[in-house]
PDB file of all heavy atoms in Angstrom:
ATOM      1  N   MET A   1     285.918   4.644 143.062  1.00 98.00           N
ATOM      2  CA  MET A   1     285.528   5.607 142.062  1.00 98.00           C
ATOM      3  C   MET A   1     284.484   4.949 141.158  1.00 98.00           C
ATOM      4  O   MET A   1     284.829   4.125 140.317  1.00 98.00           O
ATOM      5  CB  MET A   1     286.741   6.095 141.241  1.00 98.00           C
ATOM      6  CG  MET A   1     286.385   7.067 140.130  1.00 98.00           C
ATOM      7  SD  MET A   1     287.854   7.559 139.144  1.00 98.00           S
ATOM      8  CE  MET A   1     288.721   8.564 140.331  1.00 98.00           C
ATOM      9  N   LEU A   2     283.207   5.221 141.426  1.00 98.00           N
ATOM     10  CA  LEU A   2     282.111   4.546 140.782  1.00 98.00           C
ATOM     11  C   LEU A   2     281.736   5.196 139.483  1.00 98.00           C
ATOM     12  O   LEU A   2     281.465   6.420 139.428  1.00 98.00           O
ATOM     13  CB  LEU A   2     280.925   4.462 141.730  1.00 98.00           C
ATOM     14  CG  LEU A   2     281.174   3.792 143.058  1.00 98.00           C
ATOM     15  CD1 LEU A   2     279.915   3.870 143.940  1.00 98.00           C
ATOM     16  CD2 LEU A   2     281.505   2.296 142.830  1.00 98.00           C
ATOM     17  N   LEU A   3     281.712   4.462 138.404  1.00 98.00           N
ATOM     18  CA  LEU A   3     281.347   4.951 137.105  1.00 98.00           C
ATOM     19  C   LEU A   3     280.325   3.990 136.417  1.00 98.00           C
ATOM     20  O   LEU A   3     280.318   2.811 136.745  1.00 98.00           O
ATOM     21  CB  LEU A   3     282.586   5.048 136.191  1.00 98.00           C
ATOM     22  CG  LEU A   3     283.636   6.102 136.635  1.00 98.00           C
ATOM     23  CD1 LEU A   3     284.924   5.890 135.856  1.00 98.00           C
ATOM     24  CD2 LEU A   3     283.138   7.490 136.445  1.00 98.00           C
ATOM     25  N   PRO A   4     279.514   4.503 135.549  1.00 98.00           N
ATOM     26  CA  PRO A   4     278.571   3.627 134.837  1.00 98.00           C
ATOM     27  C   PRO A   4     279.308   2.545 134.031  1.00 98.00           C
ATOM     28  O   PRO A   4     280.424   2.825 133.505  1.00 98.00           O
ATOM     29  CB  PRO A   4     277.812   4.547 133.916  1.00 98.00           C
ATOM     30  CG  PRO A   4     277.977   5.916 134.514  1.00 98.00           C
ATOM     31  CD  PRO A   4     279.350   5.922 135.134  1.00 98.00           C
ATOM     32  N   LEU A   5     278.711   1.403 133.950  1.00 97.00           N
ATOM     33  CA  LEU A   5     279.354   0.322 133.181  1.00 97.00           C
ATOM     34  C   LEU A   5     279.539   0.710 131.686  1.00 97.00           C
ATOM     35  O   LEU A   5     280.431   0.233 131.043  1.00 97.00           O
ATOM     36  CB  LEU A   5     278.463  -0.938 133.304  1.00 97.00           C
ATOM     37  CG  LEU A   5     279.082  -2.299 132.959  1.00 97.00           C
ATOM     38  CD1 LEU A   5     280.337  -2.565 133.829  1.00 97.00           C
ATOM     39  CD2 LEU A   5     278.064  -3.404 133.176  1.00 97.00           C
ATOM     40  N   ASP A   6     278.674   1.594 131.201  1.00 97.00           N
ATOM     41  CA  ASP A   6     278.773   2.105 129.861  1.00 97.00           C
ATOM     42  C   ASP A   6     279.020   3.666 129.991  1.00 97.00           C
ATOM     43  O   ASP A   6     278.120   4.447 129.801  1.00 97.00           O
ATOM     44  CB  ASP A   6     277.564   1.855 129.026  1.00 97.00           C
ATOM     45  CG  ASP A   6     277.721   2.243 127.587  1.00 97.00           C
ATOM     46  OD1 ASP A   6     278.855   2.460 127.172  1.00 97.00           O
ATOM     47  OD2 ASP A   6     276.705   2.362 126.879  1.00 97.00           O
ATOM     48  N   PRO A   7     280.198   4.037 130.375  1.00 97.00           N
ATOM     49  CA  PRO A   7     280.468   5.433 130.738  1.00 97.00           C
ATOM     50  C   PRO A   7     280.432   6.374 129.515  1.00 97.00           C
ATOM     51  O   PRO A   7     280.836   5.974 128.404  1.00 97.00           O
ATOM     52  CB  PRO A   7     281.840   5.402 131.332  1.00 97.00           C
ATOM     53  CG  PRO A   7     282.512   4.234 130.731  1.00 97.00           C
ATOM     54  CD  PRO A   7     281.454   3.214 130.495  1.00 97.00           C
ATOM     55  N   ALA A   8     279.897   7.571 129.727  1.00 97.00           N
ATOM     56  CA  ALA A   8     279.924   8.585 128.681  1.00 97.00           C
ATOM     57  C   ALA A   8     281.340   9.102 128.545  1.00 97.00           C
ATOM     58  O   ALA A   8     282.210   8.936 129.446  1.00 97.00           O
ATOM     59  CB  ALA A   8     278.953   9.723 129.068  1.00 97.00           C
ATOM     60  N   SER A   9     281.620   9.788 127.451  1.00 96.00           N
ATOM     61  CA  SER A   9     282.980  10.322 127.192  1.00 96.00           C
ATOM     62  C   SER A   9     283.414  11.254 128.282  1.00 96.00           C
ATOM     63  O   SER A   9     284.572  11.261 128.702  1.00 96.00           O
ATOM     64  CB  SER A   9     283.019  10.974 125.835  1.00 96.00           C
ATOM     65  OG  SER A   9     282.068  12.057 125.757  1.00 96.00           O
ATOM     66  N   GLU A  10     282.427  12.077 128.805  1.00 96.00           N
ATOM     67  CA  GLU A  10     282.802  12.985 129.902  1.00 96.00           C
ATOM     68  C   GLU A  10     283.179  12.252 131.158  1.00 96.00           C
ATOM     69  O   GLU A  10     284.022  12.721 131.961  1.00 96.00           O
ATOM     70  CB  GLU A  10     281.713  14.017 130.141  1.00 96.00           C
ATOM     71  CG  GLU A  10     280.367  13.417 130.404  1.00 96.00           C
ATOM     72  CD  GLU A  10     279.510  13.317 129.149  1.00 96.00           C
ATOM     73  OE1 GLU A  10     280.071  13.129 128.035  1.00 96.00           O
ATOM     74  OE2 GLU A  10     278.259  13.468 129.245  1.00 96.00           O
ATOM     75  N   ASP A  11     282.551  11.083 131.398  1.00 96.00           N
ATOM     76  CA  ASP A  11     282.918  10.276 132.574  1.00 96.00           C
ATOM     77  C   ASP A  11     284.305   9.836 132.433  1.00 96.00           C
ATOM     78  O   ASP A  11     285.083   9.805 133.426  1.00 96.00           O
ATOM     79  CB  ASP A  11     281.980   9.077 132.683  1.00 96.00           C
ATOM     80  CG  ASP A  11     280.520   9.441 133.010  1.00 96.00           C
ATOM     81  OD1 ASP A  11     280.304  10.376 133.780  1.00 96.00           O
ATOM     82  OD2 ASP A  11     279.615   8.736 132.488  1.00 96.00           O
ATOM     83  N   MET A  12     284.674   9.381 131.255  1.00 97.00           N
ATOM     84  CA  MET A  12     286.037   8.897 131.045  1.00 97.00           C
ATOM     85  C   MET A  12     287.066   9.995 131.241  1.00 97.00           C
ATOM     86  O   MET A  12     288.113   9.826 131.848  1.00 97.00           O
ATOM     87  CB  MET A  12     286.171   8.299 129.587  1.00 97.00           C
ATOM     88  CG  MET A  12     285.331   7.038 129.363  1.00 97.00           C
ATOM     89  SD  MET A  12     285.775   6.299 127.777  1.00 97.00           S
ATOM     90  CE  MET A  12     284.453   5.142 127.564  1.00 97.00           C
ATOM     91  N   GLU A  13     286.747  11.161 130.697  1.00 96.00           N
ATOM     92  CA  GLU A  13     287.677  12.276 130.776  1.00 96.00           C
ATOM     93  C   GLU A  13     287.887  12.696 132.257  1.00 96.00           C
ATOM     94  O   GLU A  13     289.003  12.954 132.647  1.00 96.00           O
ATOM     95  CB  GLU A  13     287.150  13.451 129.953  1.00 96.00           C
ATOM     96  CG  GLU A  13     287.206  13.209 128.476  1.00 96.00           C
ATOM     97  CD  GLU A  13     286.471  14.304 127.678  1.00 96.00           C
ATOM     98  OE1 GLU A  13     286.046  15.300 128.269  1.00 96.00           O
ATOM     99  OE2 GLU A  13     286.307  14.159 126.439  1.00 96.00           O
ATOM    100  N   GLU A  14     286.823  12.724 133.006  1.00 96.00           N
ATOM    101  CA  GLU A  14     286.940  13.107 134.433  1.00 96.00           C
ATOM    102  C   GLU A  14     287.747  12.085 135.179  1.00 96.00           C
ATOM    103  O   GLU A  14     288.594  12.432 136.007  1.00 96.00           O
ATOM    104  CB  GLU A  14     285.558  13.233 135.027  1.00 96.00           C
ATOM    105  CG  GLU A  14     284.792  14.488 134.548  1.00 96.00           C
ATOM    106  CD  GLU A  14     283.410  14.561 135.190  1.00 96.00           C
ATOM    107  OE1 GLU A  14     283.163  13.773 136.136  1.00 96.00           O
ATOM    108  OE2 GLU A  14     282.580  15.357 134.711  1.00 96.00           O
ATOM    109  N   ALA A  15     287.550  10.796 134.898  1.00 97.00           N
ATOM    110  CA  ALA A  15     288.294   9.759 135.589  1.00 97.00           C
ATOM    111  C   ALA A  15     289.777   9.838 135.240  1.00 97.00           C
ATOM    112  O   ALA A  15     290.620   9.741 136.126  1.00 97.00           O
ATOM    113  CB  ALA A  15     287.760   8.354 135.237  1.00 97.00           C
ATOM    114  N   CYS A  16     290.084  10.019 133.984  1.00 96.00           N
ATOM    115  CA  CYS A  16     291.516  10.123 133.594  1.00 96.00           C
ATOM    116  C   CYS A  16     292.167  11.332 134.195  1.00 96.00           C
ATOM    117  O   CYS A  16     293.346  11.254 134.613  1.00 96.00           O
ATOM    118  CB  CYS A  16     291.583  10.199 132.026  1.00 96.00           C
ATOM    119  SG  CYS A  16     291.146   8.653 131.202  1.00 96.00           S
ATOM    120  N   ALA A  17     291.443  12.431 134.262  1.00 97.00           N
ATOM    121  CA  ALA A  17     292.047  13.633 134.875  1.00 97.00           C
ATOM    122  C   ALA A  17     292.265  13.427 136.350  1.00 97.00           C
ATOM    123  O   ALA A  17     293.310  13.821 136.914  1.00 97.00           O
ATOM    124  CB  ALA A  17     291.094  14.824 134.640  1.00 97.00           C
ATOM    125  N   ALA A  18     291.340  12.818 137.036  1.00 96.00           N
ATOM    126  CA  ALA A  18     291.470  12.613 138.472  1.00 96.00           C
ATOM    127  C   ALA A  18     292.595  11.635 138.801  1.00 96.00           C
ATOM    128  O   ALA A  18     293.231  11.724 139.873  1.00 96.00           O
ATOM    129  CB  ALA A  18     290.166  12.053 139.034  1.00 96.00           C
ATOM    130  N   LEU A  19     292.879  10.702 137.884  1.00 97.00           N
ATOM    131  CA  LEU A  19     293.912   9.714 138.141  1.00 97.00           C
ATOM    132  C   LEU A  19     295.221   9.976 137.401  1.00 97.00           C
ATOM    133  O   LEU A  19     296.103   9.130 137.369  1.00 97.00           O
ATOM    134  CB  LEU A  19     293.384   8.327 137.703  1.00 97.00           C
ATOM    135  CG  LEU A  19     292.109   7.870 138.496  1.00 97.00           C
ATOM    136  CD1 LEU A  19     291.566   6.605 137.805  1.00 97.00           C
ATOM    137  CD2 LEU A  19     292.438   7.602 139.947  1.00 97.00           C
ATOM    138  N   GLU A  20     295.353  11.154 136.841  1.00 95.00           N
ATOM    139  CA  GLU A  20     296.508  11.462 135.946  1.00 95.00           C
ATOM    140  C   GLU A  20     297.831  11.242 136.666  1.00 95.00           C
ATOM    141  O   GLU A  20     298.821  10.752 136.087  1.00 95.00           O
ATOM    142  CB  GLU A  20     296.393  12.907 135.469  1.00 95.00           C
ATOM    143  CG  GLU A  20     297.477  13.277 134.458  1.00 95.00           C
ATOM    144  CD  GLU A  20     297.310  14.676 133.916  1.00 95.00           C
ATOM    145  OE1 GLU A  20     296.373  15.381 134.379  1.00 95.00           O
ATOM    146  OE2 GLU A  20     298.094  15.098 133.054  1.00 95.00           O
ATOM    147  N   GLU A  21     297.882  11.623 137.929  1.00 93.00           N
ATOM    148  CA  GLU A  21     299.209  11.532 138.658  1.00 93.00           C
ATOM    149  C   GLU A  21     299.408  10.171 139.320  1.00 93.00           C
ATOM    150  O   GLU A  21     300.459   9.954 139.932  1.00 93.00           O
ATOM    151  CB  GLU A  21     299.234  12.625 139.761  1.00 93.00           C
ATOM    152  CG  GLU A  21     299.018  14.034 139.213  1.00 93.00           C
ATOM    153  CD  GLU A  21     300.112  14.380 138.212  1.00 93.00           C
ATOM    154  OE1 GLU A  21     301.284  13.966 138.440  1.00 93.00           O
ATOM    155  OE2 GLU A  21     299.827  15.026 137.195  1.00 93.00           O
ATOM    156  N   ARG A  22     298.459   9.279 139.185  1.00 94.00           N
ATOM    157  CA  ARG A  22     298.624   8.029 139.832  1.00 94.00           C
ATOM    158  C   ARG A  22     299.529   7.082 139.032  1.00 94.00           C
ATOM    159  O   ARG A  22     299.398   6.938 137.811  1.00 94.00           O
ATOM    160  CB  ARG A  22     297.261   7.284 139.975  1.00 94.00           C
ATOM    161  CG  ARG A  22     296.226   8.038 140.813  1.00 94.00           C
ATOM    162  CD  ARG A  22     296.604   8.239 142.265  1.00 94.00           C
ATOM    163  NE  ARG A  22     296.911   6.959 142.945  1.00 94.00           N
ATOM    164  CZ  ARG A  22     297.004   6.832 144.302  1.00 94.00           C
ATOM    165  NH1 ARG A  22     296.865   7.939 145.044  1.00 94.00           N
ATOM    166  NH2 ARG A  22     297.294   5.696 144.844  1.00 94.00           N
ATOM    167  N   GLU A  23     300.510   6.477 139.732  1.00 93.00           N
ATOM    168  CA  GLU A  23     301.422   5.589 139.068  1.00 93.00           C
ATOM    169  C   GLU A  23     300.832   4.204 138.798  1.00 93.00           C
ATOM    170  O   GLU A  23     301.202   3.532 137.836  1.00 93.00           O
ATOM    171  CB  GLU A  23     302.738   5.430 139.856  1.00 93.00           C
ATOM    172  CG  GLU A  23     303.502   6.766 139.978  1.00 93.00           C
ATOM    173  CD  GLU A  23     304.628   6.666 140.987  1.00 93.00           C
ATOM    174  OE1 GLU A  23     304.613   5.686 141.810  1.00 93.00           O
ATOM    175  OE2 GLU A  23     305.471   7.596 140.984  1.00 93.00           O
ATOM    176  N   THR A  24     299.919   3.822 139.675  1.00 95.00           N
ATOM    177  CA  THR A  24     299.227   2.559 139.522  1.00 95.00           C
ATOM    178  C   THR A  24     297.759   2.806 139.752  1.00 95.00           C
ATOM    179  O   THR A  24     297.367   3.507 140.666  1.00 95.00           O
ATOM    180  CB  THR A  24     299.740   1.510 140.558  1.00 95.00           C
ATOM    181  OG1 THR A  24     301.151   1.344 140.386  1.00 95.00           O
ATOM    182  CG2 THR A  24     299.061   0.174 140.359  1.00 95.00           C
ATOM    183  N   VAL A  25     296.934   2.162 138.917  1.00 96.00           N
ATOM    184  CA  VAL A  25     295.463   2.283 139.073  1.00 96.00           C
ATOM    185  C   VAL A  25     294.867   0.900 139.199  1.00 96.00           C
ATOM    186  O   VAL A  25     295.189   0.012 138.408  1.00 96.00           O
ATOM    187  CB  VAL A  25     294.851   2.985 137.789  1.00 96.00           C
ATOM    188  CG1 VAL A  25     293.352   2.996 137.875  1.00 96.00           C
ATOM    189  CG2 VAL A  25     295.417   4.397 137.674  1.00 96.00           C
ATOM    190  N   PHE A  26     294.042   0.731 140.209  1.00 98.00           N
ATOM    191  CA  PHE A  26     293.273  -0.504 140.376  1.00 98.00           C
ATOM    192  C   PHE A  26     291.894  -0.348 139.763  1.00 98.00           C
ATOM    193  O   PHE A  26     291.264   0.745 139.911  1.00 98.00           O
ATOM    194  CB  PHE A  26     293.120  -0.841 141.862  1.00 98.00           C
ATOM    195  CG  PHE A  26     294.418  -1.418 142.447  1.00 98.00           C
ATOM    196  CD1 PHE A  26     295.454  -0.598 142.824  1.00 98.00           C
ATOM    197  CD2 PHE A  26     294.541  -2.790 142.671  1.00 98.00           C
ATOM    198  CE1 PHE A  26     296.592  -1.087 143.426  1.00 98.00           C
ATOM    199  CE2 PHE A  26     295.691  -3.292 143.242  1.00 98.00           C
ATOM    200  CZ  PHE A  26     296.729  -2.454 143.591  1.00 98.00           C
TER     201      PHE A  26
END
């Protein structure tokens, strides 16, 4: 899951939503 090194707030929100159900995140 590739994101900018300096992610915008919307990038963070999308990543958190996509990984919400994950018990472990790498």
Side-chain angles (χ1 to χ4, degrees):
M1 177 181 289
L2 301 174
L3 294 168
L5 199 55
D6 187 15
S9 57
E10 52 267 31
D11 294 322
M12 295 189 193
E13 291 171 6
E14 289 179 11
C16 290
L19 298 171
E20 184 176 4
E21 302 301 321
R22 301 295 304 194
E23 296 170 345
T24 303
V25 175
F26 283 79

